[in-house]
Amino acid sequence: MITGSGSIRLFVAPLLLSLVLPSSDINEHQLTGVLDDCFCDVESIDAFNNYKIFPKLKKLQERDYFRYYKVNLKRPCPFWAEDGHCSIKDCHVEPCPESKVPLGIKAGNYNKYSLEANSEKDIDACEQANKLGAINSTLSNQSKEAFIDWARYDDAQDHFCELDDERSPDVQYVDLLLNPERYTGYKGPSAWRVWNSIYEENCFKPRSVYRPLNPLAPSISGDTGESFYEWLEGLCLEKRVFYRLISGLHASINLHLSAKYLLEDNWGNPRWGPNTKEFTHRFHPAYTKGEGPRRLKNLYFLYLIELRALSKVASYFERSVVDLYTGNLEEDVETKNLLLSIFIDAKSFPMHFDEKSMFAGNKKEARSLKEEFRLHFKNISRIMDCVGCDKCRLWGKLQTQGLGTALKILFSEKEIQSLPENSPSKGFQLTRQEIVALINAFGRLSTSIKELQSFKYLLHDHR
């Protein structure tokens, strides 16, 4: 049996996180301790993220390669008839006209990386045929064979996410910069149903154990939520990690909604900004029966997981065969150099998550648990198609796919290490969609930690 007796090694020190109540009876609440299942100095993570990697990530996400995401927002919910809707018009996602999408991006998924595989002639032919995913007839036989190998491997791969079919007529490009994640008014039973399905059916939890503050749970007199954490600590490490990843993602999304809240909408002129009341309602221990700080711990835990994935996948992108191709040679070179600079920072971080602690027991049981882990996460990615708000669905799908890509990287270390320098490998590949999701998902976590610092300053000013 795989146990969780060993902690994840992070070479770290204590955690200190301050939250303040913006009320007439103001007092400061400090939480000291360590991240669950590891040891980590949050102040060091704050400094690393806010002053070193966040500014670079922000610039990278503005680059053409990373701003256009292809997604199907019309896939029906596979589990129930969705009847939710947003209360304000900002739930709408404005698709990007294909004329605005760089030609290199539209050239197709099989023409993945190299400049040679994406000549202007190839792109024009691909455009005229309106078969963006097809292998171009002007390519050499050797190139076509390589692309077929890539496609065959991608189709057979053990993905952690349910991927959109890019050949579907319902798939569209979305400019992420023009459709930012922010508060949309999507809440209530429809939203609760999505999160309840994620937690209750996919986090290895029995029905008899209820999450703290679950609005759909029965009222139990005297239950402070500690029974849930007693149950959680009894799980093996892998299943605890799974829950904390989902909780961290939930916390990050709640932070985004609090930081980009609709403050006023005067005659069609909306003003978005931080809502300290919303933030304290979601995270302050006095409003959450002590649950909020635990959620924020899980946010930091998720950040460390995805940061570790970036450090692991750096060698994949350092190869000369990998180009982030849009058709603008000068910008593409600058984009790749910026990405490599972020990878250098990621590798330099001294407190990395040690994924070797996971799935390290009996090989047969480890394989079985890893597959169960993968299928549970894949099911969560399918639940994203049940979100009743298009903008929430867009960012939910992207962040879920980004985390799924990070998990795929962490479980493919040997394949990444054996990649050839100057040719594609059948052992490990990333599609452009996975790359875009990976960077933007980590960018959302990075933004969450930056916004958390901003809220601390705002709440302090209310004293």
Side-chain angles (χ1 to χ4, degrees):
M1 183 70 185
I2 300 174
T3 66
S5 57
S7 64
I8 299 174
R9 299 179 293 277
L10 285 175
F11 315 110
V12 241
L15 172 155
L16 177 62
L17 184 60
S18 299
L19 291 173
V20 189
L21 262 174
S23 66
S24 56
D25 181 22
I26 297 173
N27 58 12
E28 185 167 288
H29 179 90
Q30 292 188 332
L31 170 68
T32 52
V34 295
L35 293 179
D36 299 319
D37 288 314
C38 56
F39 301 93
C40 187
D41 178 355
V42 167
E43 289 179 326
S44 295
I45 297 177
D46 285 341
F48 170 79
N49 177 75
N50 298 344
Y51 302 109
K52 192 169 188 178
I53 207 167
F54 173 79
K56 293 181 182 180
L57 272 170
K58 191 171 184 298
K59 288 182 181 179
L60 187 66
Q61 290 172 276
E62 294 170 353
R63 295 284 181 169
D64 281 354
Y65 188 90
F66 291 101
R67 69 183 288 181
Y68 296 104
Y69 182 61
K70 204 170 187 182
V71 64
N72 184 353
L73 298 176
K74 297 181 180 179
R75 284 178 57 168
C77 172
F79 303 109
W80 61 79
E82 174 53 42
D83 57 358
H85 62 276
C86 289
S87 63
I88 62 175
K89 63 183 180 300
D90 196 67
C91 184
H92 175 68
V93 170
E94 188 65 38
C96 183
E98 290 212 3
S99 60
K100 299 288 187 181
V101 181
L103 288 176
I105 291 176
K106 293 190 292 185
N109 199 39
Y110 297 135
N111 300 27
K112 290 184 178 181
Y113 306 123
S114 68
L115 177 62
E116 292 77 7
N118 287 282
S119 68
E120 186 175 346
K121 183 178 180 182
D122 294 338
I123 295 170
D124 289 343
C126 198
E127 285 282 290
Q128 292 168 8
N130 196 28
K131 296 178 180 178
L132 302 180
I135 299 171
N136 198 286
S137 60
T138 61
L139 298 175
S140 68
N141 288 333
Q142 183 179 9
S143 294
K144 283 192 285 187
E145 288 173 5
F147 294 150
I148 290 170
D149 282 341
W150 294 358
R152 186 180 296 120
Y153 178 75
D154 285 342
D155 290 340
Q157 218 169 166
D158 287 336
H159 291 287
F160 279 80
C161 287
E162 185 80 14
L163 304 180
D164 287 340
D165 181 1
E166 293 191 45
R167 296 165 294 182
S168 168
D170 291 329
V171 170
Q172 58 191 1
Y173 285 101
V174 173
D175 185 338
L176 299 175
L177 297 184
L178 298 181
N179 294 274
E181 183 182 23
R182 55 194 179 190
Y183 181 81
T184 66
Y186 177 63
K187 56 185 178 181
S190 178
W192 294 341
R193 191 178 190 180
V194 170
W195 284 112
N196 202 58
S197 179
I198 289 173
Y199 283 113
E200 299 298 321
E201 299 169 17
N202 295 281
C203 286
F204 304 96
K205 192 179 74 59
R207 292 285 186 179
S208 58
V209 177
Y210 296 99
R211 291 179 295 115
L213 305 181
N214 179 1
L216 302 182
S219 178
I220 302 176
S221 177
D223 183 14
T224 62
E226 290 306 312
S227 59
F228 171 80
Y229 287 100
E230 290 172 4
W231 164 82
L232 186 65
E233 291 309 312
L235 288 179
C236 66
L237 172 65
E238 293 82 359
K239 292 181 179 180
R240 288 203 309 273
V241 165
F242 190 96
Y243 168 79
R244 289 181 173 126
L245 295 180
I246 301 306
S247 174
L249 177 60
H250 196 179
S252 182
I253 291 172
N254 281 336
L255 253 168
H256 305 155
L257 306 186
S258 301
K260 297 290 185 241
Y261 200 88
L262 182 59
L263 301 177
E264 59 181 4
D265 189 2
N266 293 327
W267 302 99
N269 185 27
R271 183 170 68 89
W272 306 85
N275 185 324
T276 54
K277 183 177 179 181
E278 185 74 16
F279 174 80
T280 54
H281 175 73
R282 293 177 183 266
F283 292 109
H284 196 279
Y287 288 90
T288 62
K289 298 181 180 179
E291 177 67 12
R294 280 169 159 155
R295 295 171 177 173
L296 294 176
K297 280 187 175 183
N298 292 333
L299 163 64
Y300 278 94
F301 185 80
L302 174 58
Y303 179 91
L304 290 172
I305 294 286
E306 294 200 14
L307 180 66
R308 177 62 165 171
L310 292 187
S311 70
K312 286 283 186 180
V313 82
S315 60
Y316 176 86
F317 289 93
E318 289 166 352
R319 299 177 301 152
S320 59
V321 72
V322 177
D323 291 317
L324 305 178
Y325 186 72
T326 67
N328 183 329
L329 180 58
E330 182 178 352
E331 179 172 314
D332 294 345
V333 171
E334 292 176 355
T335 299
K336 183 171 181 180
N337 287 339
L338 182 55
L339 179 63
L340 294 181
S341 174
I342 290 172
F343 286 143
I344 290 172
D345 290 341
K347 288 192 291 186
S348 72
F349 188 69
M351 299 174 274
H352 273 300
F353 168 84
D354 183 4
E355 71 286 352
K356 292 185 177 66
S357 298
M358 296 177 62
F359 308 106
N362 176 278
K363 288 186 178 181
K364 184 177 180 180
E365 291 180 355
R367 265 196 313 272
S368 176
L369 182 56
K370 181 178 176 181
E371 178 63 6
E372 192 177 5
F373 192 101
R374 184 186 71 85
L375 291 177
H376 276 240
F377 192 84
K378 191 170 185 178
N379 207 47
I380 288 174
S381 74
R382 298 177 70 204
I383 295 174
M384 290 299 108
D385 286 317
C386 299
V387 176
C389 160
D390 280 353
K391 183 154 303 172
C392 307
R393 182 182 296 202
L394 163 67
W395 285 100
K397 286 169 75 80
L398 182 144
Q399 290 173 85
T400 303
Q401 185 178 23
L403 176 52
T405 304
L407 294 173
K408 169 181 167 179
I409 291 166
L410 291 177
F411 296 141
S412 303
E413 182 176 15
K414 291 181 180 178
E415 291 81 2
I416 295 173
Q417 289 177 344
S418 62
L419 288 171
E421 168 59 33
N422 296 312
S423 63
S425 168
K426 298 178 184 179
F428 179 85
Q429 297 291 344
L430 292 176
T431 66
R432 178 183 172 274
Q433 287 299 96
E434 289 175 308
I435 295 170
V436 172
L438 176 70
I439 295 302
N440 277 282
F442 185 68
R444 294 278 73 205
L445 297 177
S446 177
T447 299
S448 291
I449 290 178
K450 187 72 167 62
E451 295 288 7
L452 183 56
Q453 182 189 54
S454 299
F455 273 117
K456 283 194 264 184
Y457 290 149
L458 285 172
L459 294 172
H460 186 272
D461 289 343
H462 286 185
R463 297 182 63 178

